[in-house]
Amino acid sequence: MGHGGGGALSAELIEQVFAPAYGNALLAGLTDSAVLHLGGARLALSTDSYVVRPLFFPGGCVGDLAVNGTVNDLAMSGARPAYLSAAFVLEEGVALSVVERVARAMGAAAETAGVTIATGDTKVVEAGHGDGVYVTTAGVGLVPERVDIRPQRARPGDAVIVSGPIGLHGVAVLSVREGLEFGVEIASDTAPLADLVATMLDVTPEIHVLRDPTRGGLAASLNEIARASGTGVRLSERAVPVPDAVANACGFLGLDPLYVANEGRLVAFVPPADAEAVLAAMRAHPQGAGAVIVGECVAEHPGMVVVATGLGGTRVVDLPLGEQLPRIC
């Protein structure tokens, strides 16, 4: 299970098994979507599978998660998502009403995100060999000229901006999976981010890095960026937006919110000259209303992420081994 968690074991699996098997320059960047040149156009291409358990959770379900996740992976390259494919693996015995509910959620999410589900596939496996419904989506979108967003472009001095409160998705899924109550309902933040990214790029095309911190949370995303760029990242613990309900739930369960998954948030590395203007544009957008600067990219401790704690100390935030909460997307 750890190899599917988006942490060190996932990286090991990719680097030792998949990358050597498929090795090519496009794959070498190990980004959430590849930027391709085809017929004079720059296209972003991404694919993802969704095996969340349970299928339905506060704020969403596997259907809208599948659309938003792939839309967001495309958007993290600066692309405008256009078309998706959808492949279903159904377990024998799953109610057709459940499949219909998932499909309708996907259709509604696609309409909200402004994309078309243009093709798909369906397979059925024997009872006991699946978990109700698995969904795989792939997507394509157009990347505007002058936009070059990838983790290798992080530079010392860049402001690190998070688009809103973190940890909501992981805790929402866990609460229904384990039947836990925390006094208030915690809903997933699942949402499409392409329009927010377009708003940011309207301010400047010189955004260096974008990443949606899903599996492994903010900690995993920042570690991947630091290692890819050979820079360090320094965060302020007090600046990181953790909702009280998430903080209380994580404290009760012994979890670190920095490692908890999100499905409607992004982290951006922005040149210091543009940071305040980008931040203001984000805050004017519904999906970025809670945006804050949480730290900066630094030349010190390359490949490492550190946090300045509220007590005046500093701690290292390493790449997680696996996933604190498996099967959250």
Side-chain angles (χ1 to χ4, degrees):
M1 293 302 293
H3 284 88
L9 288 177
S10 289
E12 180 183 273
L13 180 66
I14 293 167
E15 292 167 4
Q16 296 183 11
V17 177
F18 296 125
Y22 311 146
N24 59 71
L26 286 171
L27 187 63
L30 297 180
T31 51
D32 287 337
S33 60
V35 176
L36 318 173
H37 296 264
L38 187 64
R42 295 177 70 210
L43 300 176
L45 171 68
S46 184
T47 188
D48 210 339
S49 294
Y50 297 87
V51 297
V52 64
R53 181 174 59 85
L55 297 175
F56 304 95
F57 46 83
C61 73
V62 68
D64 47 45
L65 195 65
V67 170
N68 293 337
T70 297
V71 163
N72 293 346
D73 282 347
L74 295 170
M76 295 309 105
S77 292
R80 269 291 191 179
Y83 298 100
L84 303 184
S85 68
F88 280 73
V89 176
L90 308 177
E91 183 183 12
E92 177 188 15
V94 66
L96 287 180
S97 60
V98 170
V99 179
E100 181 181 17
R101 185 177 169 190
V102 171
R104 288 187 178 277
M106 289 185 72
E111 183 176 357
T112 298
V115 296
T116 299
I117 299 177
T119 188
D121 183 48
T122 305
K123 296 292 190 296
V124 177
V125 298
E126 297 88 344
H129 290 269
D131 204 3
V133 178
Y134 296 153
V135 183
T136 295
T137 49
V140 293
L142 283 171
V143 182
E145 292 187 13
R146 296 181 59 204
V147 170
D148 182 15
I149 298 174
R150 47 194 170 89
Q152 293 81 5
R153 293 198 68 214
R155 298 288 184 270
D158 282 354
V160 179
I161 304 175
V162 172
S163 64
I166 67 169
L168 291 165
H169 176 72
V171 174
V173 172
L174 181 67
S175 67
V176 292
R177 180 185 299 172
E178 305 298 340
L180 301 174
E181 295 184 5
F182 302 109
V184 296
E185 182 180 79
I186 301 175
S188 171
D189 58 356
T190 178
L193 298 173
D195 193 63
L196 173 62
V197 170
T199 297
M200 297 164 66
L201 290 173
D202 283 343
V203 176
T204 175
E206 288 301 319
I207 294 171
H208 288 160
V209 187
L210 292 172
R211 184 62 64 91
D212 56 333
T214 54
R215 294 177 302 168
L218 184 62
S221 292
L222 292 178
N223 270 279
E224 290 166 0
I225 294 166
R227 295 182 184 193
S229 62
T231 62
V233 176
R234 182 167 58 229
L235 299 180
S236 168
E237 186 174 60
R238 289 180 174 175
V240 178
V242 181
D244 289 342
V246 171
N248 292 337
C250 288
F252 176 73
L253 297 167
L255 304 176
D256 186 337
L258 290 176
Y259 293 94
V260 178
N262 313 271
E263 288 292 345
R265 300 288 181 256
L266 64 79
V267 57
F269 282 55
V270 181
D274 299 314
E276 289 298 332
V278 170
L279 182 64
M282 294 174 71
R283 288 176 171 172
H285 190 282
Q287 297 301 336
V292 291
I293 296 175
V294 297
E296 63 179 334
C297 185
V298 297
E300 297 80 23
H301 50 79
M304 294 177 59
V305 179
V306 302
V307 173
T309 69
L311 298 176
T314 301
R315 66 183 176 96
V316 174
V317 178
D318 206 353
L319 189 68
L321 186 63
E323 170 61 68
Q324 293 184 117
L325 309 173
R327 301 280 302 278
I328 45 74
C329 66

